[in-house]
Amino acid sequence: MAEKLGKPIGLTAKPTHSQEFYDSVKRKFAEERDLRLKYRPQGLSQYTSELTGALAKYEVDTYAGAVTPREPINDTVECLFVGGGFSALLTSARLREVGVESIRIVERGADVGGTWYWNRYPGVACDVVAYDYLPLLDELDYVPKDHYAGGPEIFAHCQAIARKYDLYKLATFQTTVTSTVWDEAEQMWHIATDRGDHMKARFVICANGILTKPKLAKIKGLETFKGHSFHTSRWDYAYTKPDLSGLEDKVVGIIGTGATAVQAVPGLGAAAKELYVFQRTPSSIDIRDDWPTDPNWARKLGPGWQARRRERARMEPRMTEEQKAKQAATSPEEKIRRQENANMEAMMRIHQRIDQVVKDKATAEALKPWYMLMCKRPCFHNDYLPTFNRPNVHLIDTHGKGINEITEKGPVFGGRQYEVGVLIYATGFEVQKTGTYNQIKGANGLDINDKHREGVRTLLGIHSQGYPNLFVMGGLQASFQFNFTDIAEAQGEYIAACIDYVRRHGYQSLDATPKAEEWWVQEVIEHRGKTTFNQECTPGYYNFEGEFQRRQDGNYNGGFFQYCNHLNEVCARMDAHFAFTNKPLTSD
Ligand code: NDP
């Protein structure tokens, strides 16, 4: 199947059209973006993740059952992780390697896994090659079953890491951190939770993940819907049944067509009596070039094979002398023009594939994305487009407008009521919001959100001056990678090295100096906003739904290679970047 489909189109497509053609495509991209910005000038606030009151049911854990009662915990650990996904697992593994024994994961879910705990919708999988995405493969002596891993395999791998590094022993599940307050005299963090716990920790690592809290579009009448409804990250298998046979006699609606919906729709289309897919902006759907792992290849890998792959991901892209000379001779405008043309070419091939696969012409047209590749998370799927050839599957394209009204019977669009028995929200997650839910107060009592109100200020996206021994993973001002575990691994190694340094020198804490923080803020500012790519994109979470952002309030855009270099530089000269305290502890 995969061989017949061929290789993904990616950005390898060579421009074949005239410049006039590309100019006209670019104009169409701009029109489509402007249409959406006009419909939603409110930007990020079109969504809510305040899932309380009538909306609280959308956040309830559908996998764990009732919360297991336990006594509040009042103890002290050395390292405490807020969140138990890959960031925490990877960093814990590195901490174990430097001899840290006292590690606690505090996690809202009933197990480790983070994203892979919550996202269990039918078809869930990762679009990053499994040999790169799944971390600690050398350490666990594991080779993924296929080129791309499915959700259950990844979740099981998370559990295997937790077992291997003995992380279940101190973990507290079904527990949400509510506040994290630094006690300067004790040189300790005090952590309160929704279970009445009062824990202390020398080091706190915010490993909350980048897409953590489910969000819903603020749609008029959403809470009045009388049928069954849930968010994709809280899949209700008790209702749908694990094989989705519970949907056989149901009319199902799904709102949203992002990366999650693209994976869920084929299964839903096959199972439901009728499926309505409510689309606001189509995703770009490339070929998923998947295959089972060749056992002969796996046998020959040899020790350290994944570490070598990771090393390659961190390397500066290599260019021949000829390529370098060509680059130097090309003006910045020309470089951008060529990149844009290649990008548009790729999108036109994605359009062609839609025409080849989707039989109904109007549906095919509606499924065509009109924006540059990478404006939204690119998707890879072989069954999503063919699903629209099923007679029971209906695409309701809202031409950028979205569903703005739901009645007790279901969504309304264009004056038509769509009556559905089940409504599934594939409307995504809040992005990079560390510290918003678990209030973080630093050395001078300042809430970290108040500090960042005038502009995010960090060192490497990890430390913030005035918040000693606090490490943020996957936060703003850090590099952002398509393969999330690349960044989690780089940051995890770095954080373990920092903690090891503090312990070896007999210090109690480290805190970024104001000078080091200012250096990093300027680095971030220098590298952001060099091109207008983000501004020109259709709104989505990659560009803060088209909202204006200060240059410092985003990710570090100097490249992963440079980011890793900076991590290494800071590690090599710790005393130039941090203030250390070696006060004795006053308690415990
Ligand atoms: P997204 O935020 O990507 O998508 C939300 C979807 O909801 C968009 O299609 C959005 O439309 C739509 N939407 C919002 N409001 C309305 C409305 N009122 N009416 C109709 N549609 C609406 O969330 P996902 O959960 O799909 O994905 C989140 C991220 O998770 C991905 O970007 C990716 O990083 C990760 N992921 C990765 C996967 C992988 O490896 N393959 C799989 C799944 C998720 P619009 O586009 O117009 O805003």
Side-chain angles (χ1 to χ4, degrees), residues 36 40 46-47 116 121 125-128 211 215 217 219 232 255-261 263 278-281 376-377 398 401-404 426-429 539-542 545:
R36 286 164 175 78
R40 282 176 297 287
Q46 67 181 283
Y47 288 105
W116 302 103
Y121 55 84
C126 181
D127 276 348
V128 177
L211 297 158
K215 65 177 164 56
I219 302 175
T232 47
I255 297 188
T257 49
T260 298
Q263 293 183 338
F278 296 97
Q279 172 182 274
R280 195 166 74 175
T281 309
K376 286 182 178 286
R377 168 95 185 188
T398 65
K401 209 170 195 172
I403 293 300
N404 295 313
T427 45
F429 303 87
Y541 80 82
Y542 275 20
E545 302 295 338

Short mmCIF file of all heavy atoms in Angstrom, two decimals, residues 36 40 46-47 116 121 125-128 211 215 217 219 232 255-261 263 278-281 376-377 398 401-404 426-429 539-542 545, ligand 1:
data_model
loop_
_atom_site.label_atom_id
_atom_site.label_comp_id
_atom_site.label_asym_id
_atom_site.label_seq_id
_atom_site.Cartn_x
_atom_site.Cartn_y
_atom_site.Cartn_z
N ARG A 36 -10.37 34.70 7.33
CA ARG A 36 -10.43 34.10 8.67
C ARG A 36 -10.14 35.13 9.75
O ARG A 36 -10.76 35.11 10.82
CB ARG A 36 -9.45 32.91 8.74
CG ARG A 36 -9.99 31.72 7.99
CD ARG A 36 -8.95 30.67 7.69
NE ARG A 36 -9.60 29.51 7.06
CZ ARG A 36 -9.98 29.45 5.78
NH1 ARG A 36 -9.74 30.49 4.97
NH2 ARG A 36 -10.57 28.38 5.30
N ARG A 40 -12.60 36.25 12.87
CA ARG A 40 -12.19 36.04 14.26
C ARG A 40 -11.13 37.02 14.70
O ARG A 40 -9.99 36.65 14.98
CB ARG A 40 -11.67 34.60 14.45
CG ARG A 40 -12.77 33.58 14.55
CD ARG A 40 -12.25 32.19 14.64
NE ARG A 40 -11.51 31.79 13.44
CZ ARG A 40 -12.08 31.51 12.26
NH1 ARG A 40 -13.38 31.58 12.13
NH2 ARG A 40 -11.34 31.17 11.23
N GLN A 46 -10.93 33.34 21.14
CA GLN A 46 -12.08 32.63 20.55
C GLN A 46 -12.27 31.27 21.22
O GLN A 46 -13.28 30.60 21.03
CB GLN A 46 -11.86 32.41 19.05
CG GLN A 46 -10.71 31.45 18.78
CD GLN A 46 -10.44 31.22 17.32
OE1 GLN A 46 -11.15 30.48 16.68
NE2 GLN A 46 -9.39 31.85 16.81
N TYR A 47 -11.23 30.84 21.96
CA TYR A 47 -11.28 29.52 22.61
C TYR A 47 -11.38 29.69 24.13
O TYR A 47 -10.99 30.71 24.68
CB TYR A 47 -9.97 28.76 22.33
CG TYR A 47 -9.83 28.26 20.93
CD1 TYR A 47 -8.95 28.89 20.04
CD2 TYR A 47 -10.53 27.15 20.48
CE1 TYR A 47 -8.80 28.43 18.73
CE2 TYR A 47 -10.38 26.67 19.18
CZ TYR A 47 -9.51 27.31 18.32
OH TYR A 47 -9.36 26.84 17.04
N TRP A 116 0.23 11.02 25.56
CA TRP A 116 -0.10 9.65 25.14
C TRP A 116 -0.96 8.94 26.16
O TRP A 116 -1.49 7.87 25.89
CB TRP A 116 1.19 8.88 24.81
CG TRP A 116 1.93 9.62 23.74
CD1 TRP A 116 3.03 10.41 23.90
CD2 TRP A 116 1.56 9.74 22.36
NE1 TRP A 116 3.37 11.00 22.71
CE2 TRP A 116 2.49 10.60 21.75
CE3 TRP A 116 0.53 9.19 21.58
CZ2 TRP A 116 2.43 10.93 20.40
CZ3 TRP A 116 0.46 9.51 20.24
CH2 TRP A 116 1.42 10.37 19.67
N TYR A 121 -7.77 8.50 21.16
CA TYR A 121 -8.85 8.46 20.17
C TYR A 121 -8.51 7.41 19.10
O TYR A 121 -7.33 7.06 18.92
CB TYR A 121 -9.04 9.85 19.53
CG TYR A 121 -7.79 10.44 18.92
CD1 TYR A 121 -7.39 10.10 17.63
CD2 TYR A 121 -7.00 11.33 19.63
CE1 TYR A 121 -6.25 10.63 17.07
CE2 TYR A 121 -5.85 11.87 19.07
CZ TYR A 121 -5.48 11.51 17.79
OH TYR A 121 -4.33 12.03 17.25
N ALA A 125 -1.78 8.24 16.53
CA ALA A 125 -0.43 7.81 16.14
C ALA A 125 0.45 9.05 16.09
O ALA A 125 -0.03 10.18 16.19
CB ALA A 125 -0.47 7.14 14.76
N CYS A 126 1.74 8.81 15.92
CA CYS A 126 2.66 9.94 15.82
C CYS A 126 3.21 10.03 14.41
O CYS A 126 3.59 9.01 13.82
CB CYS A 126 3.79 9.77 16.82
SG CYS A 126 4.92 11.16 16.74
N ASP A 127 3.28 11.25 13.89
CA ASP A 127 3.75 11.47 12.52
C ASP A 127 5.25 11.67 12.41
O ASP A 127 5.75 11.99 11.34
CB ASP A 127 3.07 12.72 11.94
CG ASP A 127 1.71 12.38 11.38
OD1 ASP A 127 1.42 11.18 11.24
OD2 ASP A 127 0.96 13.31 11.08
N VAL A 128 5.94 11.53 13.53
CA VAL A 128 7.40 11.62 13.47
C VAL A 128 7.90 10.17 13.45
O VAL A 128 7.36 9.32 14.17
CB VAL A 128 7.97 12.37 14.70
CG1 VAL A 128 9.48 12.39 14.67
CG2 VAL A 128 7.40 13.79 14.77
N LEU A 211 1.07 21.00 24.70
CA LEU A 211 -0.35 20.97 24.31
C LEU A 211 -1.06 20.14 25.38
O LEU A 211 -1.25 18.95 25.22
CB LEU A 211 -0.50 20.31 22.94
CG LEU A 211 0.16 21.02 21.77
CD1 LEU A 211 0.42 20.06 20.63
CD2 LEU A 211 -0.69 22.17 21.28
N LYS A 215 -8.99 22.52 24.78
CA LYS A 215 -9.75 23.77 24.66
C LYS A 215 -10.97 23.56 23.76
O LYS A 215 -10.98 22.64 22.93
CB LYS A 215 -8.87 24.92 24.16
CG LYS A 215 -8.32 24.80 22.76
CD LYS A 215 -7.54 26.07 22.43
CE LYS A 215 -6.60 26.01 21.26
NZ LYS A 215 -7.08 25.61 19.97
N ALA A 217 -13.89 25.73 21.31
CA ALA A 217 -14.25 27.00 20.69
C ALA A 217 -15.46 27.55 21.45
O ALA A 217 -16.33 26.77 21.87
CB ALA A 217 -14.60 26.76 19.22
N ILE A 219 -18.61 28.52 21.34
CA ILE A 219 -19.71 28.45 20.37
C ILE A 219 -21.03 28.67 21.11
O ILE A 219 -21.29 28.01 22.12
CB ILE A 219 -19.72 27.07 19.66
CG1 ILE A 219 -18.37 26.83 18.95
CG2 ILE A 219 -20.88 26.97 18.67
CD1 ILE A 219 -18.22 25.46 18.32
N THR A 232 -11.73 15.12 21.97
CA THR A 232 -10.96 13.97 21.47
C THR A 232 -9.95 13.44 22.49
O THR A 232 -9.62 12.26 22.46
CB THR A 232 -10.18 14.35 20.19
OG1 THR A 232 -9.51 15.59 20.41
CG2 THR A 232 -11.10 14.45 18.99
N ILE A 255 -16.18 18.36 15.15
CA ILE A 255 -15.86 19.77 14.87
C ILE A 255 -14.35 19.92 14.91
O ILE A 255 -13.69 19.63 15.91
CB ILE A 255 -16.53 20.70 15.90
CG1 ILE A 255 -18.05 20.57 15.77
CG2 ILE A 255 -16.06 22.14 15.71
CD1 ILE A 255 -18.85 21.57 16.57
N GLY A 256 -13.77 20.39 13.79
CA GLY A 256 -12.33 20.57 13.70
C GLY A 256 -11.74 19.56 12.74
O GLY A 256 -12.21 18.41 12.66
N THR A 257 -10.73 20.01 11.99
CA THR A 257 -10.07 19.13 11.01
C THR A 257 -8.55 19.28 11.10
O THR A 257 -7.84 19.29 10.11
CB THR A 257 -10.55 19.45 9.58
OG1 THR A 257 -10.46 20.86 9.37
CG2 THR A 257 -11.97 18.98 9.33
N GLY A 258 -8.05 19.43 12.36
CA GLY A 258 -6.60 19.49 12.58
C GLY A 258 -6.01 18.08 12.61
O GLY A 258 -6.67 17.10 12.23
N ALA A 259 -4.77 17.97 13.10
CA ALA A 259 -4.04 16.69 13.06
C ALA A 259 -4.79 15.58 13.79
O ALA A 259 -4.74 14.42 13.38
CB ALA A 259 -2.65 16.88 13.67
N THR A 260 -5.51 15.93 14.86
CA THR A 260 -6.24 14.90 15.60
C THR A 260 -7.40 14.36 14.77
O THR A 260 -7.56 13.14 14.62
CB THR A 260 -6.79 15.49 16.93
OG1 THR A 260 -5.68 15.91 17.73
CG2 THR A 260 -7.63 14.49 17.68
N ALA A 261 -8.21 15.28 14.24
CA ALA A 261 -9.39 14.85 13.46
C ALA A 261 -8.95 14.02 12.26
O ALA A 261 -9.60 13.03 11.91
CB ALA A 261 -10.18 16.07 13.02
N GLN A 263 -6.66 11.95 11.99
CA GLN A 263 -6.44 10.56 12.37
C GLN A 263 -7.73 9.87 12.84
O GLN A 263 -7.88 8.66 12.67
CB GLN A 263 -5.39 10.49 13.48
CG GLN A 263 -4.01 10.93 12.98
CD GLN A 263 -2.93 10.81 14.04
OE1 GLN A 263 -3.21 10.79 15.23
NE2 GLN A 263 -1.69 10.74 13.60
N PHE A 278 -17.25 18.87 10.37
CA PHE A 278 -17.41 20.33 10.26
C PHE A 278 -16.03 20.96 10.14
O PHE A 278 -15.25 20.95 11.09
CB PHE A 278 -18.18 20.86 11.48
CG PHE A 278 -19.58 20.32 11.54
CD1 PHE A 278 -19.88 19.21 12.35
CD2 PHE A 278 -20.59 20.88 10.78
CE1 PHE A 278 -21.17 18.69 12.39
CE2 PHE A 278 -21.89 20.37 10.81
CZ PHE A 278 -22.17 19.27 11.62
N GLN A 279 -15.77 21.52 8.97
CA GLN A 279 -14.43 22.03 8.67
C GLN A 279 -14.42 23.56 8.61
O GLN A 279 -15.30 24.17 8.01
CB GLN A 279 -13.99 21.47 7.31
CG GLN A 279 -12.70 22.07 6.78
CD GLN A 279 -12.34 21.53 5.42
OE1 GLN A 279 -11.71 20.49 5.30
NE2 GLN A 279 -12.75 22.23 4.37
N ARG A 280 -13.38 24.13 9.23
CA ARG A 280 -13.20 25.58 9.13
C ARG A 280 -12.03 25.88 8.19
O ARG A 280 -12.12 26.71 7.31
CB ARG A 280 -12.95 26.15 10.53
CG ARG A 280 -13.09 27.63 10.62
CD ARG A 280 -13.18 28.08 12.04
NE ARG A 280 -11.89 28.03 12.73
CZ ARG A 280 -11.70 28.47 13.95
NH1 ARG A 280 -12.70 28.98 14.66
NH2 ARG A 280 -10.51 28.41 14.51
N THR A 281 -10.92 25.14 8.40
CA THR A 281 -9.77 25.25 7.51
C THR A 281 -9.24 23.85 7.27
O THR A 281 -9.02 23.11 8.24
CB THR A 281 -8.64 26.10 8.17
OG1 THR A 281 -9.21 27.32 8.62
CG2 THR A 281 -7.51 26.38 7.20
N LYS A 376 0.35 25.43 9.36
CA LYS A 376 -0.32 24.56 10.32
C LYS A 376 0.45 23.25 10.35
O LYS A 376 1.18 22.96 9.40
CB LYS A 376 -1.76 24.28 9.89
CG LYS A 376 -2.68 25.47 10.10
CD LYS A 376 -4.10 25.11 9.70
CE LYS A 376 -5.02 26.27 9.95
NZ LYS A 376 -5.34 26.49 11.36
N ARG A 377 0.22 22.48 11.39
CA ARG A 377 0.90 21.19 11.48
C ARG A 377 0.58 20.35 10.24
O ARG A 377 -0.60 20.03 9.98
CB ARG A 377 0.40 20.46 12.74
CG ARG A 377 0.78 19.02 12.83
CD ARG A 377 2.02 18.85 13.63
NE ARG A 377 2.46 17.47 13.63
CZ ARG A 377 3.45 17.02 14.39
NH1 ARG A 377 4.07 17.83 15.20
NH2 ARG A 377 3.83 15.78 14.34
N THR A 398 -17.24 25.13 6.15
CA THR A 398 -17.81 26.41 6.60
C THR A 398 -17.05 27.60 6.00
O THR A 398 -17.21 28.72 6.47
CB THR A 398 -17.82 26.50 8.14
OG1 THR A 398 -16.46 26.51 8.59
CG2 THR A 398 -18.57 25.34 8.78
N LYS A 401 -15.45 30.12 8.22
CA LYS A 401 -16.29 30.77 9.22
C LYS A 401 -16.37 29.97 10.52
O LYS A 401 -16.36 30.53 11.62
CB LYS A 401 -17.71 30.91 8.64
CG LYS A 401 -18.45 32.09 9.18
CD LYS A 401 -19.72 32.29 8.39
CE LYS A 401 -20.31 33.66 8.66
NZ LYS A 401 -21.42 33.95 7.79
N GLY A 402 -16.44 28.67 10.41
CA GLY A 402 -16.56 27.82 11.59
C GLY A 402 -17.99 27.67 12.03
O GLY A 402 -18.90 28.35 11.54
N ILE A 403 -18.17 26.76 12.97
CA ILE A 403 -19.49 26.56 13.57
C ILE A 403 -19.62 27.59 14.68
O ILE A 403 -18.79 27.65 15.58
CB ILE A 403 -19.61 25.12 14.13
CG1 ILE A 403 -19.60 24.11 12.98
CG2 ILE A 403 -20.86 24.95 14.99
CD1 ILE A 403 -20.73 24.27 11.98
N ASN A 404 -20.65 28.38 14.61
CA ASN A 404 -20.83 29.44 15.61
C ASN A 404 -22.08 29.25 16.45
O ASN A 404 -22.37 30.06 17.32
CB ASN A 404 -20.86 30.81 14.93
CG ASN A 404 -19.52 31.10 14.28
OD1 ASN A 404 -18.49 30.91 14.93
ND2 ASN A 404 -19.51 31.50 13.03
N ALA A 426 -12.84 18.26 18.20
CA ALA A 426 -11.41 18.07 17.86
C ALA A 426 -10.81 19.46 17.72
O ALA A 426 -10.21 19.80 16.71
CB ALA A 426 -11.29 17.28 16.56
N THR A 427 -11.02 20.27 18.78
CA THR A 427 -10.67 21.69 18.69
C THR A 427 -9.34 22.03 19.36
O THR A 427 -9.03 23.21 19.55
CB THR A 427 -11.81 22.55 19.29
OG1 THR A 427 -12.22 21.97 20.53
CG2 THR A 427 -13.00 22.62 18.35
N GLY A 428 -8.56 21.01 19.70
CA GLY A 428 -7.17 21.25 20.10
C GLY A 428 -6.96 21.59 21.55
O GLY A 428 -7.80 21.32 22.42
N PHE A 429 -5.80 22.22 21.80
CA PHE A 429 -5.29 22.40 23.16
C PHE A 429 -4.69 23.79 23.34
O PHE A 429 -4.24 24.39 22.36
CB PHE A 429 -4.17 21.37 23.42
CG PHE A 429 -4.62 19.97 23.22
CD1 PHE A 429 -4.58 19.38 21.95
CD2 PHE A 429 -5.14 19.25 24.27
CE1 PHE A 429 -5.05 18.09 21.75
CE2 PHE A 429 -5.61 17.96 24.08
CZ PHE A 429 -5.56 17.38 22.82
N PRO A 539 -4.55 31.91 10.21
CA PRO A 539 -4.46 31.80 11.67
C PRO A 539 -4.52 30.36 12.15
O PRO A 539 -5.19 29.52 11.56
CB PRO A 539 -5.66 32.61 12.17
CG PRO A 539 -6.54 32.82 11.00
CD PRO A 539 -5.71 32.69 9.77
N GLY A 540 -3.81 30.11 13.22
CA GLY A 540 -3.75 28.78 13.83
C GLY A 540 -2.88 28.93 15.06
O GLY A 540 -2.38 30.03 15.35
N TYR A 541 -2.66 27.83 15.78
CA TYR A 541 -1.91 28.02 17.02
C TYR A 541 -0.42 28.29 16.76
O TYR A 541 0.26 28.84 17.60
CB TYR A 541 -2.16 26.88 18.00
CG TYR A 541 -1.39 25.61 17.76
CD1 TYR A 541 -0.09 25.46 18.20
CD2 TYR A 541 -1.98 24.52 17.12
CE1 TYR A 541 0.62 24.28 18.00
CE2 TYR A 541 -1.30 23.35 16.91
CZ TYR A 541 0.01 23.24 17.36
OH TYR A 541 0.70 22.08 17.14
N TYR A 542 0.09 27.93 15.57
CA TYR A 542 1.49 28.22 15.26
C TYR A 542 1.77 29.74 15.26
O TYR A 542 2.88 30.15 15.53
CB TYR A 542 1.86 27.68 13.87
CG TYR A 542 2.27 26.21 13.83
CD1 TYR A 542 1.93 25.33 14.84
CD2 TYR A 542 2.99 25.72 12.74
CE1 TYR A 542 2.29 23.99 14.77
CE2 TYR A 542 3.36 24.38 12.66
CZ TYR A 542 3.00 23.52 13.67
OH TYR A 542 3.37 22.19 13.59
N GLU A 545 -3.01 32.41 16.47
CA GLU A 545 -4.29 32.75 15.82
C GLU A 545 -4.23 34.14 15.18
O GLU A 545 -5.23 34.85 15.13
CB GLU A 545 -5.46 32.67 16.83
CG GLU A 545 -5.64 31.32 17.50
CD GLU A 545 -6.01 30.17 16.54
OE1 GLU A 545 -6.54 30.46 15.46
OE2 GLU A 545 -5.76 29.00 16.89
P1 NDP B 1 -5.69 21.91 16.30
O1 NDP B 1 -5.59 23.10 17.18
O2 NDP B 1 -4.60 21.65 15.36
O3 NDP B 1 -7.03 21.92 15.48
C1 NDP B 1 -8.22 22.44 15.97
C2 NDP B 1 -9.23 22.39 14.85
O4 NDP B 1 -10.48 22.89 15.30
C3 NDP B 1 -8.85 23.26 13.66
O5 NDP B 1 -9.14 22.54 12.48
C4 NDP B 1 -9.75 24.47 13.82
O6 NDP B 1 -9.98 25.18 12.63
C5 NDP B 1 -10.98 23.77 14.30
N1 NDP B 1 -11.99 24.65 14.90
C6 NDP B 1 -11.89 25.45 15.97
N2 NDP B 1 -13.03 26.09 16.20
C7 NDP B 1 -13.91 25.69 15.25
C8 NDP B 1 -15.25 26.00 14.96
N3 NDP B 1 -15.93 26.89 15.69
N4 NDP B 1 -15.84 25.39 13.92
C9 NDP B 1 -15.17 24.50 13.17
N5 NDP B 1 -13.89 24.17 13.39
C10 NDP B 1 -13.26 24.75 14.42
O7 NDP B 1 -5.89 20.65 17.31
P2 NDP B 1 -5.54 19.12 17.10
O8 NDP B 1 -6.01 18.44 18.32
O9 NDP B 1 -6.02 18.63 15.79
O10 NDP B 1 -3.97 19.10 17.03
C11 NDP B 1 -3.18 19.74 18.01
C12 NDP B 1 -1.73 19.37 17.82
O11 NDP B 1 -1.47 18.10 18.40
C13 NDP B 1 -1.21 19.23 16.42
O12 NDP B 1 -0.96 20.42 15.79
C14 NDP B 1 0.05 18.42 16.63
O13 NDP B 1 1.08 19.24 17.08
C15 NDP B 1 -0.40 17.49 17.71
N6 NDP B 1 -0.85 16.24 17.07
C16 NDP B 1 0.05 15.51 16.36
C17 NDP B 1 -0.33 14.40 15.73
C18 NDP B 1 0.61 13.66 14.87
O14 NDP B 1 1.74 13.41 15.18
N7 NDP B 1 0.08 13.29 13.76
C19 NDP B 1 -1.72 13.90 15.78
C20 NDP B 1 -2.58 14.72 16.57
C21 NDP B 1 -2.17 15.87 17.18
P3 NDP B 1 -8.91 26.27 12.07
O15 NDP B 1 -7.84 25.48 11.40
O16 NDP B 1 -9.69 27.10 11.15
O17 NDP B 1 -8.40 27.04 13.25
#
